[in-house]
Amino acid sequence: MGRFLRPRLFVIAAFLAAVMGFAGLVGWYGYIAALGPLEQRARSDLAIAANSLTGELRRFRELAVLTADHPQVRPVMAGHTPAAALRPVLQEIADKTGALDILLVDEAGQVVTATQDARPMNHAGRAYFERAMDGALGVSHLYHAAPGSRAFVFAAPVFSDAGPAIGALLVYTDVEQVEASWRGASPTVFFTDALGVVFLSNRSELAFRSRSGQPVPRADDPLVPLAPFAFYTETAIGPYEIWNIDGGRYLPQRALHLTAPLPVINMTAEVLVDVSPARQVALLQAAVVAAVCLVFGMLLFVATQRRRTLAALNTKLERRVADRTAALQELNADLRREVADRTAAEARLQKAQDDLVQAGKLSALGQMSAGISHELNQPLTAIRSFAENAQGFLERDKPDVAAQNLGRISELARRMGRIIRNLRAFARQEDEPPKNVELVAVIDAVLEIVAPRAQQEDVALIWDCPTAPVIVRGGEVRLQQVILNLVTNGMDAMEHSDPKVVTIEVSQHGPRTTVSVRDTGPGIAEPEKIFDPFYTTKAVGAAEGMGLGLSLSYGLVQSFGGAIRGRNHPDGGAIFTVELDAVAQEAAA
């Protein structure tokens, strides 16, 4: 048994070694890849901190230039005005701007006047003073002994009337005041000079520490002893520089180190960004890869050992899949049959609705047949009378009078033709999609159809016809059916009312056109049910309809993309509004 076990143990050990090596490579690559975005963020943070510092210092640099041009500075340097008169001015400027100290120095480097009572010193030979005497703006950093703080100094030349510099105006800026706004922020940022001294930082434990161990020059003392920088070691990981730091709880133990030169203030900006998130990501990736490889190896081992069992299970699974596929195919066939049945039912429902609409039209025509017959009978009687009179006038040789009778016959024929044309258009079945329809013509045709009944029942039809065409989206015949249903329903509701008035109005509301039909009947008892099929307010056994008119009208208006509503009017009676999509005159043309 040991003879068979040894090869297996060797294979397992080799597999584990390969997995650990591969996971280590993945972790190393993931660590380097994670340092890339970390470097980009660090450079962005470093640029923001550098811009913040230079922006804050720029204010004092401009202060030095502006104060050097003050009208009271040059007379003091020329000896025309005592220095004591200038000190209150400089003190006021320092108080308002937050400057640490403002000094006026003559061309020999001696202080003429200052806002702080510091020990006298000579600035001759210092780089910032010599640069100011050359006519440029000098800048430096040093330890200011008067208040005992770190400071930036800006030296601006004071020019004589003849042109050359006769002195310099120095503005000292308190570094701790600059640090106060971003102290404790993340990440760790510090600024070092050419000697490796951390002159300012957002970590107080790094401020005024020297990486080189050399002392720093002081404004009135040659040297100032400095504490050493926090202990660290550098490690190169790919193109990145990683520091291992022993600097206390507020500094990262392992950090990405980046630098950026700041020639404007003769310093170098440096940043330390904690790489713990990148290490965690790399370790997580390595752990996931190792876990996946181990699981894969375990599964491969188990699969090898249980190959026969899986083959049997696979055969059984294929049989079950075949059975399930057959059941799904049968269910799919049932679903197809159900879809076909529902499609046919929808088609039958649509045909029944169209038939009901057509039946409603014919029913309306049947109800108005007496009035229509009267409307057609009157012109026919008049035509016969005018024809007989014309014949008699022709026999009496009066052709002019006969011509008048013939003209009246022609006008009556046109009137009958218009009535018949409206009836024929209303009676035909329309199944076209919505199109541009002239709403005023539709309402005029409906009123011409219902006019005989209105005259017979003493109903006043008030129609405030717009002067301009009103174009909407809909179907001409179906829209006539809707308006006719609303008008005839109003006339039916006013059977026992006095007066009997049906008012039709058209109004425009943005992209919608509204048609309102109002009657003076008793109103609607249940407004929420008026569009339900087979709901009617007429007495049982009445000859008019089955309660489908408004339901069909609701469906017709919905097919146009419109809306229909019904409610009781505050002044009595019911009012129905039909909203349709309006069409601009330009688009209609």
Side-chain angles (χ1 to χ4, degrees), residues 355-379:
D355 293 341
L356 285 174
V357 171
Q358 190 67 13
K361 294 179 186 178
L362 297 179
S363 175
L365 290 177
Q367 294 175 12
M368 295 181 295
S369 60
I372 294 172
S373 299
H374 180 70
E375 282 293 309
L376 294 176
N377 189 41
Q378 280 185 339

Side-chain angles (χ1 to χ4, degrees), residues 51-64 154:
N51 291 336
S52 176
L53 175 62
T54 56
E56 185 68 21
L57 295 179
R58 187 182 299 113
R59 184 164 61 92
F60 294 97
R61 183 179 61 184
E62 295 172 354
L63 175 64
F154 295 96

Side-chain angles (χ1 to χ4, degrees), residues 98-130:
L100 182 63
D101 196 3
I102 300 179
L103 291 78
L104 185 62
V105 182
D106 60 15
E107 56 185 346
Q110 297 295 330
V111 177
V112 177
T113 184
T115 59
Q116 300 282 351
D117 294 327
R119 187 168 56 185
M121 63 172 290
N122 195 320
H123 295 269
R126 297 185 180 271
Y128 58 87
F129 177 75
E130 297 301 331

Side-chain angles (χ1 to χ4, degrees), residues 468-508:
V470 179
I471 311 300
V472 295
R473 294 292 293 174
E476 183 176 0
V477 176
R478 286 174 287 175
L479 193 53
Q480 285 182 4
Q481 172 70 14
V482 172
I483 302 299
L484 181 64
N485 282 343
L486 298 180
V487 174
T488 55
N489 282 350
M491 295 172 66
D492 292 340
M494 296 185 299
E495 181 179 1
H496 304 290
S497 299
D498 189 25
K500 300 178 180 180
V501 180
V502 174
T503 304
I504 303 175
E505 294 180 352
V506 174
S507 58
Q508 188 80 21

Side-chain angles (χ1 to χ4, degrees), residues 32-49 187 239-240 256-259 271 273-275 278:
I32 296 177
L35 288 176
L38 196 65
E39 182 197 21
Q40 294 179 1
R41 289 196 297 270
R43 291 199 180 278
S44 176
D45 294 337
L46 186 61
I48 292 173
Y240 309 108
L256 174 65
H257 177 246
L258 297 175
T259 62
V271 64
V273 181
D274 191 2
V275 297

Side-chain angles (χ1 to χ4, degrees), residues 113-418:
T113 184
T115 59
Q116 300 282 351
D117 294 327
R119 187 168 56 185
M121 63 172 290
N122 195 320
H123 295 269
R126 297 185 180 271
Y128 58 87
F129 177 75
E130 297 301 331
R131 182 170 174 80
M133 293 307 297
D134 290 338
L137 180 67
V139 60
S140 183
H141 58 280
L142 42 79
Y143 184 82
H144 195 278
S149 60
R150 292 163 288 142
F152 276 93
V153 57
F154 295 96
V158 178
F159 296 101
S160 64
D161 296 334
I166 58 175
L169 188 131
L170 309 183
V171 175
Y172 286 83
T173 305
D174 188 1
V175 170
E176 293 185 359
Q177 181 181 356
V178 177
E179 288 177 339
S181 61
W182 44 285
R183 181 169 293 157
S186 184
T188 302
V189 178
F190 55 95
F191 298 85
T192 58
D193 57 14
L195 298 178
V197 177
V198 180
F199 198 69
L200 70 161
S201 172
N202 60 356
R203 297 291 187 274
S204 58
E205 58 267 31
L206 293 180
F208 223 53
R209 291 177 176 265
S210 175
R211 291 220 297 267
S212 63
Q214 300 180 10
V216 66
R218 177 168 147 176
D220 56 352
D221 200 351
L223 298 175
V224 174
L226 299 177
F229 193 78
F231 177 76
Y232 68 93
T233 58
E234 299 181 7
T235 304
I237 298 180
Y240 309 108
E241 179 183 344
I242 306 298
W243 281 15
N244 296 317
I245 312 172
D246 183 11
R249 57 184 297 186
Y250 297 108
L251 293 179
Q253 294 182 355
R254 192 182 300 263
L256 174 65
H257 177 246
L258 297 175
T259 62
L262 298 177
V264 176
I265 57 175
N266 298 324
M267 286 193 172
T268 301
E270 303 184 44
V271 64
L272 294 175
V273 181
D274 191 2
V275 297
S276 297
R279 288 169 55 85
Q280 292 175 359
V281 171
L283 290 175
L284 181 61
Q285 290 176 345
V288 170
V289 169
V292 170
C293 292
L294 291 175
V295 171
F296 178 76
M298 183 182 65
L299 292 177
L300 184 62
F301 178 78
V302 173
T304 303
Q305 296 298 320
R306 302 181 61 185
R307 182 169 49 187
R308 294 183 179 180
T309 304
L310 289 177
L313 291 175
N314 188 34
T315 303
K316 183 178 179 181
L317 180 62
E318 289 178 354
R319 190 182 311 112
R320 293 179 62 183
V321 168
D323 297 340
R324 184 60 177 168
T325 301
L328 289 175
Q329 289 176 348
E330 184 178 357
L331 179 60
N332 193 18
D334 294 340
L335 289 175
R336 286 200 201 93
R337 285 193 296 270
E338 184 176 354
V339 169
D341 293 341
R342 292 196 176 187
T343 303
E346 289 179 358
R348 290 193 297 270
L349 178 62
Q350 183 64 37
K351 186 176 183 304
Q353 184 178 7
D354 295 340
D355 293 341
L356 285 174
V357 171
Q358 190 67 13
K361 294 179 186 178
L362 297 179
S363 175
L365 290 177
Q367 294 175 12
M368 295 181 295
S369 60
I372 294 172
S373 299
H374 180 70
E375 282 293 309
L376 294 176
N377 189 41
Q378 280 185 339
L380 286 174
T381 303
I383 287 173
R384 183 174 59 206
S385 176
F386 283 131
E388 293 174 354
N389 290 339
Q391 183 177 3
F393 285 124
L394 288 174
E395 292 175 355
R396 298 175 191 173
D397 197 15
K398 293 183 178 180
D400 51 346
V401 181
Q404 293 178 2
N405 287 349
L406 292 176
R408 293 173 182 169
I409 291 173
S410 177
E411 178 62 31
L412 291 171
R414 278 194 297 270
R415 177 183 172 189
M416 293 174 62
R418 186 170 65 254

